[in-house]
Amino acid sequence: MCIRSRPSRWLAGLMVVLLAAISACSSGSARTPSSSGGVVHLTFWSWVPNIANAVSLFNSAHKNIQVTLDTIPTGSNGGYAKMLDAVKAGNPPCAAQVEYQEIPTFLLQNALVNIKPWVASSQSLFVPWQWNQGVYNGSVYAVPQASGPMALYYRKDVFSRDGIVTPPRTWAQYAQDAAIIHSHAPHAYITTFPVPDSAWYTALAWQAGTKWFGTSGDHWTVNIANAASQRVAGYWYGLVKKGMVKTENDFTSAWYKDLQDGGVVTWISASWGDAILRQNAPNTAGNWAVAPMPQWASSGFAASNWGGSSTAVLRGCPDPQAAAQFAVWLNTNARSINLLVTDGYGWPAVPSVSSIPSVTGNPKVFSFYGGQNINAVFQQADQNINESWGWIPNVQTTYDALDSAFASAANGNGTFASALTSAQRQTVASLSGAGLKVTSGP
Amino acid sequence: MTFLFVCTIYFVLPVYWVLVSSTKSTADLFGSFGLWFAHFRLGANLRQLFAADQGIFLRWLANSVLYAGLGAVLATVISAAAGYALAKYSFRGREAIFSVILAGVMVPPTALALPLYLMMSRAGLANSYLSVLLPSMVSPFGAYLARVYAASAVPDELIEAARIDGAGELRIFARVAAPAMTPALVTIGLFTFVGIWNNFFLPLVMLSSQNLYPVTLGLTVWEGQTYRDPSFYQLTVTGAAVSAVLLIAAVIMLQRFWRSGLTRSGLTTGALR
Amino acid sequence: MSAAPAVRRRRRSRVPALFLLPFCLLFAAFFVAPIGYAVYQSLFTTQRSGLGLGAAQTVFSGLANYAAALRDAAFTGSMLRVLLFMAVETPVMIIFALLLALALDAASVRFPALFRSAFFAPYGVPGVIASLLWGFIYVPGISPVVQVLGGVGLHPDFLGPQTVLWSIANILTWEFAGYNMLVLTASLKAIPDELYEAAQIDGAGGLRIAWRIKIPLISGALILTTVFTIIGTLQLFAEPLVLRGLTANISDSYTPNLSAYTQAFTDSNYSMAAAEAVILALAALVLSFVFLRLVQRAGGPGAGGPRAGREAGRRRTGGRR
């Protein structure tokens, strides 16, 4: 612009000068860390509520590494985009909050540093399946922070009112209870199938012993529509078609209201779900209890996981060793974990929780469940999670495909089982479209 | 009049909802009828809002005022000058410039975010006040509007008369053209102020220190945390209510300037006909 | 200007450049440069192999990204969806905004500033909050509107696969009708009072004045708001993004802009995002141009205020008017 008019010609000239000045300013050196007097300064990006307390704990315990926390929007709200942009621009924070399912996406962008040399010796400090979430192709890209072991939250009072003596041990019993509850009160449902929240459905399939994603040599493997996950889909499709469960989405205002007034009386959810129940429905205090997840098999026990987060080191960090050290300390130090767990962020990634006061005894939490030690249920769950589960790059594509296909099925086009087939097809197409080698099936 | 009242209800209803909601507890937010008060606890909510994170909300408000206030004033002046030049001087390339400005509006901001960020990073400006302020100062729409109104509201005769009186071009712009353009300038100022205040994308991409966040970005951070801790809902809603009240107050105040603009354009129309 | 002596004119020739300088500089830095970069990016693809871990190769691929975008049924479907949306929403928006502006401009209205503020207020509510709020009105179960309509036997599904687009249209109308009204109002204020006085002497009523004087004289502003509404509807983004949390009937590529956002921000395929954004911008450019040509052919003034419009019209028709 501004080229055709004569006076503007020198505008264009000025523009060139300005742009030259801008590019001359390009420092090229990354912002973090900088070391002064032997102290390494790192930046850490996270959105975990009150994680600042744990960071300042780290800073007071370490004289040679000082970490600055920037609280950014959650990953899906733009946080991940910010991180990847910062990596592209060459001045990323050294450490960042990355959820388990996003790690391969970050790897595809070459955004993470292999920190194996510095963290390998700490592997034994972590729950094996959580540790494996950061391991791809033999390299270690993230230190696990927290998971979401799952159980069944249920309204004890409603169950006993309707004559259900024990919480369902199997999914078959759960379906029977669904019918009983709905027949006693037409507005009441045992739960909702959150159609546009397929991360939840993924967790249920995970419990059934399936393995959707993995690697085999230099191929990604995608196996969404396998027999076990078809079975889970068929089960929920049946309940939805019979009108035994609602299809409203979770985390919406209508759903919050249903939790308060008994429109929904159970929630198959993770340990972090506790904070949501307690704060949203204080009027139901004392009426809730937590039982292990219902089972598919008549013997043995399998739980599942919903959510989970790690501390990763971003590419471009000049001192990945210090960042890795910070990541391990943040997620293994008992006092640090205690701070993180107190604020309801998730379940620790360490196997032994006996030294974490907010896990072993938390009167404020337990009293909401009539004094039940709900964490015992979650601890048992965290130790019985199918360890082989992994993720693929751009897993959001799979979620979006499932969301749309489940929605069509709920609107009468297709079934939940055919939704899996469609998500399988779209996922494979998307990965090979990105130039990756991918195998469809087990 | 009935039409206006019905429209008022339509437009005000959601704002009313935000205000009512800001008086509720997190539980009542979902558990009680949305359009009427439940247990009234506005005071407690406000205390919580301004105490959270050592009073970071106040800082966010101040940042928003800075970004939107300074940005809007500068954007208005810059657009006014450009629009006036495009309307009142004829020079080669005038229409071309005008078309390029218009075309600039067509490009979706999603496509510009990453390049802008890379440029700012290069210049060492990422995560600074300037990284948000500088891009906010360009308003193609403002320049467009200014041109349209300068063309109609500033009579050529008036400019010529001032020139004959020996006034310099800058003086003519400031003393003759700008007053005649007042309604348009107020409109541009209003639009850019609100636009910058509500802009979420630019600060999201540019800023990482919470101390530099404007209100919208801060509220988004809080909103994202509701997923694990629903008490953040109350912070978000109360924060949104405070932010909306401030903006509406600003809108009403800025509208006052319209009256002065009106009388001035009344003066100038004499010369127009 | 032609009357001005040649000497003075030459001195003045640097003046427009000075007035334009700040704007042009900033515009070049914050619009032209990033657009150029985006276009440049759209000509490359990232090549990966195997698991795709580690550094990838970026190669020049010409228009391959554009071809891929146009072959993608989800993207073309989203284009058709916003075109339909634009065709319906633009007239609704403009007529509604015009009615508001004219109603407020009528001499009989008391407290016009109060009404104006009320109508403009939604523009001041951040998009996230606005969509949250309308979500609350749309979601069955707690919506007061659904409750009331249920009482008279109506059971609307605001978030159904066929209806959700129009629920989004409502949010857009709510957010921006006041904004467009303000543009029109500012334009109405530029109409000299003498014109009304003359018309009143001629015995014209309020409706007639509105139809014969006001609307023709603000046709420039009407065209302006229409063009910006066309662009705004094509760029539909924030509202569906927020409503996605409530319904599965909005996919991640529901609109072209949302699709580009998904490509850039969740799939990190920046080249494809840039290509989609460029296609969208070109579509907006073509449609705005077509609209302006249609208006011109219909004999109306071009984009511009009352006077600029007339000048422009005279220029284009070679003075035949």
Side-chain angles (χ1 to χ4, degrees), chain A residues 142-224:
Chain A
V143 174
Q145 175 169 81
S147 63
M150 293 177 82
L152 175 73
Y153 294 89
Y154 68 101
R155 282 281 294 269
K156 226 170 14 189
D157 57 331
V158 176
F159 271 45
S160 56
R161 184 194 71 200
D162 294 350
I164 304 168
V165 186
T166 53
R169 209 198 69 77
T170 65
W171 285 111
Q173 284 164 8
Y174 188 79
Q176 287 163 13
D177 294 345
I180 294 172
I181 286 161
H182 190 53
S183 67
H184 275 82
H187 81 281
Y189 291 87
I190 195 161
T191 196
T192 175
F193 184 89
V195 172
D197 189 358
S198 39
W200 180 82
Y201 176 79
T202 306
L204 292 189
W206 185 343
Q207 185 210 12
T210 69
K211 186 186 178 196
W212 283 8
F213 313 118
T215 58
S216 153
D218 65 345
H219 286 247
W220 293 98
T221 57
V222 177
N223 190 21
I224 298 169

Side-chain angles (χ1 to χ4, degrees), chain C residues 119-142:
Chain C
F119 299 165
F120 185 66
Y123 185 67
V125 178
V128 176
I129 302 296
S131 301
L132 236 158
L133 157 96
W134 279 105
F136 152 84
I137 290 178
Y138 290 155
V139 167
I142 57 166

